[in-house]
Amino acid sequence: MNKFTNKIYQRYRLLKINKEASNLSKHFSGYYKAWKEVKTNPKEHDPLKEEEQEIVVGEFEVFKLKTGTGPSGEIIIDEPKKEVSEDIFFKFLNLSNENGKISSFDIYNFVNRYGLLVNQPMGQKLLEEKYHLETLSFWRYEIALMNSLIKTYYNYQNENTEELKKIFIQSKKEFSDCFYRDNTYSSIETNNLKSNIEIFIDFHDMVSPSGNFLVEEIYEQLFARVLFQVLNQKLRQTTDTYIIETEESGKFRARDQRWIDIKSGYKDLLSFIWASFAHFIKTKTKINICLNNRCKKFFTSQKFTRAKFHSDLCRSAYARDAKMWELAKNKIMKKEGMMILDERETGIGKLSSFDALLLNEKNKKVLAMLEFSYSEIDHKSLKWNHIKHKIYRNLSHLYDKNKINHAFLINKNGKLFEWNIKKKIYGNEIQKLPETKDLAQSNLDIRRLVQFEK
Ligand SMILES: [Zn+2]
């Protein structure tokens, strides 16, 4: 397996460069402008809102790393390094979640582990002999592009033509022109990305059996062309080949002591990530999406092509979830006129403080919020007060917004607890769930959010 050694910094900081910034970020705003001039493509990597640009700063203090002095007085430095392997591109592209949100915190964690993308402390001149910086919009664009491509690769492998039709858009002006267009990432405000992912494809030389060049018959050719264009651009200056002088050590000779050697390697972490990604795609390796709903990361398994989970942690979380659902269904769904719905199916982040919704089966209005606990939590537990307040707080919020009045908590043993805003009940243990008629109905009609099977 291919490896790359990234030179790393001793410390990293995440900063926002804006008008009200502290002196520290003002200090970096000049550097940010200088860095932008040389390192980034303004069309792709510029933020939507310049004044909300985030940067990650690597700090390197060469003198702290001095370990000794060589025979001729030279300073010997022990450079901090991190060796990364090929599959790092999965960690990189999974910095975007399934909805396209790329959090600053996740990027920061990645930086802390593996270093910066294009900067390496001993490779380039340090600002004030100490700092290097990279903007998060630069990171986000590269992550978004790779995430978009793997998503399309997944849809290509699984022949999801409906999804592919959303991404390959035929030009209205010119018949033989088409765009690969993905605005998933730039449409998320916190990503602060200026541009959509948009790649122009000329398909005049492609083959269409029907002559109509429908996406469903030429998507493989379209996708191959996108990969050809993007990867060529990304790999154009991937490797450095350079010469070093060598010296034969040991016995002294009057001549033939020095010669040259050729060294070659990936230029930086970003190049290595794109090259590893290209190798993966080239071999048509099977890609999977983790079945754990809270994860949904892209991954591949060398042992099983039909692997379901990207980690053992996700496998056990899924099994635990399934067990709770069984329990919840037995305890609750037996009731006449009610149904429960996994909160994640609604796709609304605001409700994510709960696991599931209890619905009136007839009109699909929300009756209550459900929380599953994987522990034996009850009134005697140390954490009880914390849970009690958390559920109350989340429910109050939903009451103000949609008049959702009830919440229920079910623990591992099937014990049931009730919250009721109107009746001021906060976490009382109950023996069974009330009947539909005894629950106050909210004004949140879930059909606005979810497609129900007819
Ligand atoms: Zn997972």
Side-chain angles (χ1 to χ4, degrees):
M1 204 187 233
N2 237 327
K3 300 246 187 220
F4 174 72
T5 306
N6 204 19
K7 291 173 186 166
I8 55 172
Y9 299 78
Q10 287 140 300
R11 202 159 89 100
Y12 299 94
R13 271 194 280 191
L14 198 60
L15 296 173
K16 231 176 205 171
I17 298 199
N18 59 27
K19 279 179 199 141
E20 297 95 52
S22 65
N23 284 331
L24 192 65
S25 18
K26 267 185 199 144
H27 174 67
F28 286 111
S29 65
Y31 290 142
Y32 161 59
K33 286 186 192 108
W35 183 81
K36 247 181 65 171
E37 293 288 302
V38 287
K39 293 272 168 74
T40 56
N41 175 350
K43 214 180 130 221
E44 292 175 349
H45 298 126
D46 269 12
L48 183 68
K49 290 181 191 152
E50 189 84 27
E51 68 274 16
E52 279 174 33
Q53 177 64 294
E54 291 167 283
I55 56 170
V56 57
V57 182
E59 291 181 24
F60 192 79
E61 284 179 82
V62 72
F63 295 109
K64 283 193 183 159
L65 298 168
K66 185 180 160 182
T67 55
T69 315
S72 47
E74 73 273 21
I75 297 168
I76 297 170
I77 294 166
D78 186 19
E79 284 179 69
K81 298 182 198 87
K82 175 79 185 179
E83 194 170 71
V84 290
S85 54
E86 261 171 10
D87 57 0
I88 192 174
F89 74 85
F90 272 114
K91 295 197 178 80
F92 185 70
L93 65 87
N94 279 321
L95 289 173
S96 164
N97 76 5
E98 47 157 333
N99 304 317
K101 186 177 155 63
I102 306 165
S103 92
S104 312
F105 184 70
D106 290 344
I107 294 179
Y108 181 69
N109 278 340
F110 186 97
V111 169
N112 261 307
R113 277 183 105 158
Y114 306 109
L116 297 179
L117 287 181
V118 294
N119 285 295
Q120 293 184 74
M122 305 303 278
Q124 299 94 8
K125 198 174 174 304
L126 292 152
L127 307 164
E128 289 194 348
E129 295 180 346
K130 189 172 176 184
Y131 307 108
H132 272 161
L133 57 92
E134 291 180 357
T135 65
L136 291 209
S137 52
F138 170 69
W139 275 74
R140 283 199 172 95
Y141 182 82
E142 300 293 319
I143 294 163
L145 181 57
M146 198 179 283
N147 191 277
S148 176
L149 293 175
I150 202 88
K151 194 168 63 185
T152 304
Y153 179 65
Y154 176 84
N155 289 326
Y156 157 75
Q157 275 193 339
N158 292 282
E159 299 176 21
N160 298 335
T161 46
E162 288 312 307
E163 290 300 315
L164 294 164
K165 279 184 199 166
K166 288 181 200 160
I167 218 107
F168 292 107
I169 317 280
Q170 199 153 347
S171 162
K172 289 191 177 80
K173 285 187 211 143
E174 194 69 48
F175 177 73
S176 65
D177 288 354
C178 179
F179 290 93
Y180 177 94
R181 191 178 288 147
D182 193 348
N183 59 12
T184 316
Y185 312 91
S186 58
S187 65
I188 290 174
E189 209 180 326
T190 56
N191 280 349
N192 198 18
L193 280 170
K194 188 165 143 191
S195 59
N196 291 333
I197 289 164
E198 188 168 280
I199 297 137
F200 170 72
I201 315 163
D202 173 357
F203 62 75
H204 79 273
D205 63 340
M206 291 183 189
V207 181
S208 157
S210 74
N212 294 323
F213 292 91
L214 301 170
V215 170
E216 49 268 51
E217 54 177 13
I218 61 165
Y219 66 79
E220 188 177 80
Q221 299 173 68
L222 292 171
F223 189 38
R225 182 65 50 85
V226 167
L227 291 170
F228 167 83
Q229 286 177 194
V230 174
L231 296 176
N232 255 333
Q233 193 217 334
K234 294 294 170 193
L235 301 183
R236 197 158 290 149
Q237 290 183 328
T238 317
T239 51
D240 264 346
T241 301
Y242 53 93
I243 302 293
I244 55 162
E245 277 187 289
T246 59
E247 195 162 357
E248 256 181 68
S249 58
K251 91 180 149 210
F252 175 79
R253 279 178 292 174
R255 53 192 294 275
D256 295 345
Q257 210 165 301
R258 282 198 182 190
W259 201 233
I260 58 160
D261 196 8
I262 302 168
K263 292 266 176 189
S264 189
Y266 289 101
K267 220 171 89 191
D268 50 41
L269 182 60
L270 186 64
S271 302
F272 180 70
I273 290 175
W274 275 109
S276 307
F277 177 77
H279 279 291
F280 176 81
I281 298 283
K282 189 208 97 175
T283 51
K284 290 200 172 180
T285 314
K286 175 89 176 115
I287 184 92
N288 306 299
I289 294 178
C290 182
L291 208 60
N292 176 5
N293 268 327
R294 286 163 213 262
C295 171
K296 289 195 171 177
K297 280 182 167 48
F298 289 104
F299 74 103
T300 189
S301 164
Q302 296 192 319
K303 281 184 228 148
F304 314 102
T305 49
R306 292 158 71 87
K308 292 191 177 96
F309 302 98
H310 102 283
S311 71
D312 286 342
L313 222 60
C314 281
R315 186 192 314 280
S316 54
Y318 184 85
R320 205 174 53 186
D321 257 27
K323 212 176 140 211
M324 281 313 290
W325 275 94
E326 268 311 299
L327 194 62
K329 277 178 190 163
N330 289 336
K331 194 96 180 172
I332 291 174
M333 283 193 84
K334 277 183 194 159
K335 289 272 172 192
E336 200 73 22
M338 289 182 192
M339 62 182 291
I340 61 174
L341 185 72
D342 188 335
E343 183 278 320
R344 289 156 287 186
E345 283 177 44
T346 62
I348 38 173
K350 284 165 208 125
L351 295 180
S352 65
S353 44
F354 287 95
D355 291 316
L357 317 173
L358 185 67
L359 307 181
N360 180 334
E361 200 168 18
K362 274 196 204 120
N363 61 16
K364 306 290 191 285
K365 290 222 168 127
V366 175
L367 295 170
M369 310 309 299
L370 304 178
E371 176 97 354
F372 304 149
S373 169
Y374 305 115
S375 68
E376 297 181 337
I377 190 150
D378 62 14
H379 291 170
K380 286 179 239 131
S381 314
L382 283 171
K383 274 192 166 178
W384 177 255
N385 268 331
H386 170 74
I387 284 274
K388 182 174 140 183
H389 287 119
K390 195 183 97 183
I391 292 183
Y392 171 69
R393 210 171 42 238
N394 293 339
L395 181 62
S396 309
H397 180 72
L398 294 163
Y399 182 80
D400 293 343
K401 202 158 179 246
N402 295 106
K403 293 279 169 288
I404 298 173
N405 184 52
H406 308 274
F408 299 97
L409 165 72
I410 309 163
N411 82 2
K412 187 182 158 196
N413 304 332
K415 276 190 185 172
L416 199 59
F417 303 89
E418 179 190 14
W419 279 254
N420 183 326
I421 299 278
K422 281 183 194 158
K423 287 193 177 165
K424 299 196 162 95
I425 295 170
Y426 311 123
N428 293 3
E429 188 172 344
I430 50 172
Q431 291 314 307
K432 63 182 178 66
L433 199 76
E435 302 298 325
T436 313
K437 63 175 171 51
D438 298 325
L439 293 173
Q441 193 169 276
S442 74
N443 59 28
L444 180 60
D445 183 345
I446 214 71
R447 279 171 300 195
R448 286 202 334 253
L449 310 165
V450 190
Q451 290 285 327
F452 283 93
E453 287 161 36
K454 300 269 154 49

